[in-house]
Amino acid sequence: MRLTWRARGILAELAVGYIPGEEPTISELVSLTRDERLAAEGREAFRKAVVELRSLRYLSPDATAASGVGECLVVDLAPAAEACLVPQRYGHGLLADGS
């Protein structure tokens, strides 16, 4: 629950929305015009979500690419390994046998 819904959407798109090797750079996504974005999230909102994802280590710079504004980012879902969409309350949850 530590990610905003905006950041979750961007993470999902970057994780599964592109053919491997054809992922856009962050600067390419930010530079989309309002018409190309279908009047969706603004550039500043997108930038803030990327900063959020980078700070929590869901996105990291691609070591093989030059650093800077146009850098490609690598999606890492490892920080979500222990994440739950809905927090467990009152001790209810899955038992060891999966029930």
Side-chain angles (χ1 to χ4, degrees), residues 9-18 23 59 75-77:
I10 290 170
L11 182 62
E13 180 174 337
L14 293 175
V16 298
Y18 300 96
E23 300 91 347
L59 295 178
V75 175
D76 181 2
L77 299 178

Side-chain angles (χ1 to χ4, degrees), residues 38-61:
L38 302 175
E41 298 286 356
R43 290 183 177 122
E44 191 58 31
F46 181 80
R47 283 188 186 117
K48 285 181 181 180
V50 169
V51 167
E52 178 183 351
L53 290 168
R54 289 185 74 173
S55 71
L56 294 171
R57 298 182 324 238
Y58 285 95
L59 295 178
S60 59

Side-chain angles (χ1 to χ4, degrees), residues 88-99:
Q88 294 187 11
R89 297 185 179 141
Y90 313 111
H92 299 299
L94 294 177
L95 300 174
D97 67 357
S99 60

